[in-house]
Amino acid sequence: MIYNSTRDRSVRLTSTEAILKGLSDEGGLFVPEEIPSFSRSLIKLSKLDYKELAFEVMYPYLDDFTEAELRSCIENAYGDSFDMPDIAPLTYADGVYYLELYHGPTIAFKDMALQILPHLMTTAARKNNVRNDIVILTATSGDTGKAAMAGFADVPHTRIMVFFPHGGVSDVQRLQMVTQTGSNVSVVSVDGNFDDCQSGVKRIFGDKAFRKELEEKGCQLSSANSINIGRLVPQIVYYVYAYCNLLRNEKIKEGESINICVPTGNFGNILAAYLAKKMGLPVKRLICASNKNNVLTDFFKSGTYDRNRDFHLTMSPSMDILISSNLERLIYFISGCDDKATAHLMSSLASDGSYTITEDMKKGLSDFMAGFATEDETASEIRRVYDNTGYIIDTHTGVASAVYRALSGNAGSCPVVIASTASPYKFAGSIVEAISPDIKTADRSGMDMIDELEKLTDMPEPKAVSDIKKARIRHDRHIPADKMKEAVREFLL
C-alpha cells in the first residue's frame, strides 16, 4: 500500500513512513492510494474476536509491517488496559445500538487508536532505521491529549508534548492531562480555543527551519492527532466489529445495511466509518452530528465550509472545533483524488476562512447526512434516554443521539449504530444537571459531581477517575498561543 499526500500526489510513502512523518511537508494529509476490500466475507469476519478482526482490517493498509509485527502491536494494544473483554461492546437502548468506545485506560474513544499507535510508531522507526527521538506534538480538544500521553509515557526514544485550550476542557479531562506521569511528557494550556492550538501545531510542522534545528539535535517530529494515518486506520476496525456483532447475534442478516451516527469535531471518527463503507461494509447513511459549533452541518447542506463564525464553548468540548482537519481527506476523495484542487481549497480555508466545493464534488457527499443539536436539545436527549431506559450517555453521545432522532425519518428504517465516544464520568457535572435538574451544580466542580453521578446510576466510577482524585498536579504551564514554538524548543532543547 502506497500513501499519497492530499496536496501532492507525487509524494509516495509506505505506511511505516507515513506513520512516522505524520503530516506531509506541504501540509497535506496522507491517504491510501486505493481503499482495499475485505479479505473475507462479513459472515466469516463475524466469527473473529476484536484482535483477530483488527488484523484482518488493518493489514491491507499496513502491509509493510510483517504479519508478526502487526499482530504483536495489536496484542500489546488490546489487552488488560481495557475493562471489557470484547473491547467495544454494543448496548441496545431505546431502539438504537450504542457502540461503547470508552472502555480503555482514559475512558474515551481515542484509546481505541492511541493504545496501538505507540507500538506502530516504534516498530516503524525500527524498520526505517530511525535514530532520532520521535517527538509527538499534539493539540487536543480534551481526549486525544490524555490518550496519547497514556500510550507514549516512558516509551523509549519518544517524547510527547500536548497543547490544550485553557478553560476549554472538562475538569476530568484537564486533571487527566496535568497529572500525567512520565519523564518524556509535557502538557501546556494555551490561551485560545482548540483551533488555535491545532493551527499552532500545524505551523510548527510547516516550519522547515525549526524542524531542521530539531533534527540536528536528534529530534524528529510526528503527530498523534487523527491527521496521522496510524490513528485513522485502527478506528475503522470498531465499525466493522459493530456490524459483525449484530451479524453474530442475528440482529441483522449478512448484506443488510445499517446507519452509523457519529458525534463529530475533527472528522476523523466519521471518516473511519466512511472508509469502512468504502471497504464494503453495508452502510446506508453516515450521520454527521455536530454541537452548536455546526460548521460541518452547514458544509454538508450547502457545499460551503466557512469557519468565519462565533466559537462556542459547550458541554461537549471535544467537538468545539471550527477547523475539521480530517475533512481534507474526504475533500480529496470526492474530488477524484485531485491534489491540486484539494490544495487550492485548503489554501482558501487558510487565507479566507472558507471554501466552496464544486457541484460534481457535492455528489460525493451522498453517503452523508448532517445535523446539529443545541445545548438544551443535548441535555433533553440525555435525560430522555435515562428516563426511558436507565442508560446514561455522555454529552457527545447525547449530541449524536439527538441528531439521529431528528433525522431518523429521512435516514431509513435500518438499524442504527451510534458511536458512544466517552464515559459519562468525564462530563459528570453536565450529565447530573441533565438527568437531575434539582441537584445544584453551578458552584460545584466536575469532580464533585462524580459522586452525585454514581448515586444516580449503577455504573461504578471508572479506575481512570479514581486515580486522578489522588494524583498530584505535575504540569501547570500556561502560555499565549503565539509562544507554542518557544515552548517546544524549551521542552526539547
Side-chain angles (χ1 to χ4, degrees), residues 162-227:
V162 171
F163 295 100
F164 71 93
H166 186 71
V169 300
S170 77
D171 285 345
V172 172
Q173 287 174 316
R174 180 183 62 82
L175 286 169
Q176 281 186 310
M177 287 188 282
V178 299
T179 59
Q180 176 64 51
T181 60
S183 60
N184 63 337
V185 168
S186 178
V187 186
V188 180
S189 68
V190 175
D191 282 329
N193 56 42
F194 169 75
D195 292 329
D196 297 317
C197 297
Q198 182 169 248
S199 296
V201 167
K202 285 186 174 181
R203 280 193 295 273
I204 293 169
F205 271 94
D207 189 331
K208 293 181 180 179
F210 185 53
R211 293 186 69 165
K212 183 178 180 182
E213 177 186 352
L214 295 180
E215 287 173 5
E216 288 173 351
K217 299 294 184 180
C219 297
Q220 177 174 321
L221 292 180
S222 191
S223 173
N225 283 90
S226 54
I227 58 175

Side-chain angles (χ1 to χ4, degrees), residues 106-108 141-143 168-174 176 314-319 382 392-397 421-434 446-447 449-450 453 465:
T106 74
I107 54 177
S141 54
D143 289 331
V169 300
S170 77
D171 285 345
V172 172
Q173 287 174 316
R174 180 183 62 82
Q176 281 186 310
T314 73
M315 70 173 78
S316 48
S318 296
M319 300 162 66
I382 293 168
I392 297 182
I393 54 178
D394 89 294
T395 51
H396 303 75
T397 310
T421 54
S423 166
Y425 277 101
K426 293 200 87 162
F427 310 96
S430 295
I431 303 301
V432 170
E433 190 171 333
M447 295 301 294
M449 290 295 99
I450 287 170
L453 181 58
V465 173

Side-chain angles (χ1 to χ4, degrees), residues 331-383:
I331 295 297
Y332 177 81
F333 289 133
I334 65 175
S335 71
C337 302
D338 187 333
D339 53 345
K340 291 182 173 56
T342 304
H344 173 72
L345 292 174
M346 294 306 111
S347 177
S348 295
L349 180 63
S351 61
D352 305 326
S354 66
Y355 61 81
T356 300
I357 62 175
T358 66
E359 291 300 317
D360 280 345
M361 291 172 70
K362 287 181 185 178
K363 296 174 185 176
L365 302 181
S366 61
D367 292 322
F368 293 88
M369 297 176 68
F372 76 99
T374 66
E375 295 288 88
D376 287 345
E377 289 167 342
T378 302
S380 294
E381 179 67 4
I382 293 168
R383 182 167 56 252

Side-chain angles (χ1 to χ4, degrees), residues 58-76:
M58 292 170 62
Y59 187 64
Y61 289 96
L62 308 177
D63 60 359
D64 58 324
F65 290 82
T66 67
E67 289 193 24
E69 287 169 339
L70 183 55
R71 288 188 187 279
S72 175
C73 291
I74 290 168
E75 184 64 34
N76 288 325

